[in-house]
């Protein structure tokens, strides 16, 4: 697997590749499509740094664990240490925004959820967090008005605005840091809009974030390890 590193405004960043903190159920329409309850407080989970791959390269998804769904999410690049932080610190701690796919082995996740077990095998596997280049804050405009779009083979599947998030970006970061210290180089995924669905080998995906980011990628079968 090629080594991932963060890019900011088109240049490799000096920030380390950290952990990924994700939120489930942050858009009402997506909560409904999976027949989940709207949570009283955000549902958080983690992906390790080994989940990160470059979305601009072909994506390799697992073969043996049932359906692998795309979830297109705005991601936040963290630039400073944040622990039990204020909203103001959360605001200034987000130094860039990008797009990530929260790849999810949905069949496996459903099985784990039914048994009351943690989701990591379904959510945190190698390559489960393809991520784009980041755009730095001064160039981003309002984090709470970003359009998130995914086309699968020219079909529009996801199209929603970050203004519809149950918990907006900076508040989410503040909330996360009451549990997990965020370090420079960590990223936060802000939840998926409705329209998630299974990936197939050979699919072409086009994803965009407002007019800031636009990229195309293809889905390939995970390479079996012959070493
Ligand atoms: Zn997600």
């Amino acid at each position: 697997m090629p080594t991932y590193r963060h890019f900011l405004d088109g240049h490799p960043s000096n920030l380390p590749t950290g952990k990924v903190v994700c939120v489930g159920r942050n858009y009402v329409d997506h909560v409904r499509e999976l027949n989940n309850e709207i949570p009283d407080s955000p549902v958080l989970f983690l992906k390790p740094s080994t989940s990160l791959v470059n979305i601009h390269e072909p994506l390799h998804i697992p073969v043996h664990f049932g359906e692998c769904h795309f979830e297109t999410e705005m991601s936040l690049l963290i630039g400073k240490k944040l622990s039990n932080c204020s909203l103001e610190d959360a605001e200034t701690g987000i130094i860039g925004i990008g797009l990530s796919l929260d790849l999810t082995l949905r069949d496996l996740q459903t099985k784990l959820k039914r048994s009351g077990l943690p989701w990591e095998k379904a959510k945190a596997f190698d390559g489960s967090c393809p991520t784009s280049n980041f755009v730095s804050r001064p160039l981003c405009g309002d984090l709470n008005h970003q359009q998130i779009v995914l086309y699968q083979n020219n079909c529009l599947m996801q199209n929603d605005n970050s203004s519809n998030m149950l918990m907006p970006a900076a508040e989410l970061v503040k909330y996360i840091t009451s549990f997990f210290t965020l370090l420079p180089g960590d990223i936060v995924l802000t939840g998926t809009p409705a329209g998630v669905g299974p990936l197939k080998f050979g699919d072409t995906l086009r994803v965009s974030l407002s007019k800031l980011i636009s990229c195309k990628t293809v889905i390939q079968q995970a390479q079996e390890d012959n070493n």
Side-chain angles (χ1 to χ4, degrees):
M1 191 174 297
T3 333
Y4 171 89
R5 89 184 270 197
H6 297 310
F7 274 72
L8 187 60
D9 294 337
H11 304 287
S13 159
N14 290 329
L15 291 171
T17 302
K19 64 181 172 295
V20 183
V21 185
C22 305
V23 58
R25 308 180 195 172
N26 204 24
Y27 286 82
V28 174
D29 289 351
H30 172 63
V31 175
R32 298 216 169 103
E33 76 178 341
L34 292 187
N35 296 316
N36 285 318
E37 304 274 311
I38 293 172
D40 299 331
S41 55
V43 177
L44 301 181
F45 59 96
L46 300 178
K47 291 178 189 261
S49 60
T50 44
S51 67
L52 285 163
V53 289
N54 189 332
I55 200 172
H56 304 273
E57 288 167 11
L59 305 180
H60 300 276
I61 61 171
V63 191
H64 303 296
F65 306 105
E67 285 190 349
C68 182
H69 278 205
F70 55 82
E71 298 188 354
T72 316
E73 312 199 3
M74 181 171 79
S75 45
L76 314 172
L77 180 61
I78 303 299
K80 66 177 183 188
K81 184 177 175 183
L82 299 169
S83 182
N84 275 311
C85 74
S86 64
L87 194 57
E88 208 176 12
D89 275 339
E91 277 285 356
T92 56
I94 303 166
I95 60 162
I97 62 174
L99 265 179
S100 295
L101 296 177
D102 168 17
L103 295 184
T104 304
L105 294 166
R106 189 72 70 201
D107 294 335
L108 182 56
Q109 186 199 26
T110 304
K111 216 190 273 179
L112 293 167
K113 274 159 81 176
R114 277 203 197 113
S115 315
L117 294 168
W119 303 350
E120 273 85 349
K121 286 195 282 188
K123 285 279 199 184
F125 57 89
D126 287 354
S128 61
C129 194
T131 293
S132 74
N133 295 352
F134 290 90
V135 176
S136 67
R137 268 314 271 291
L139 308 175
C140 290
D142 186 352
L143 298 191
N144 300 322
H145 287 90
Q146 300 289 339
Q147 196 70 21
I148 296 151
V149 174
L150 175 134
Y151 284 86
Q152 182 181 29
N153 304 323
N154 295 322
C155 290
L156 179 62
M157 302 300 285
Q158 297 196 278
N159 183 21
D160 205 344
N161 195 280
S162 62
S163 59
N164 292 321
M165 297 196 309
L166 291 169
M167 185 174 272
E171 277 178 50
L172 178 63
V173 167
K174 174 180 186 289
Y175 180 77
I176 285 170
T177 70
S178 60
F179 298 91
F180 312 120
T181 296
L182 292 172
L183 296 172
D186 286 349
I187 70 173
V188 169
L189 265 53
T190 54
T192 184
V196 304
L199 292 167
K200 296 178 303 300
F201 301 120
D203 277 351
T204 299
L205 304 181
R206 276 189 297 132
V207 288
S208 62
L209 184 68
S210 303
K211 290 197 163 65
L212 301 173
I213 295 167
S214 172
C215 48
K216 195 169 143 177
T217 194
V218 294
I219 304 301
Q220 296 181 350
Q221 197 161 308
Q223 286 150 336
E224 302 279 340
D225 194 351
N226 293 320
N227 299 324

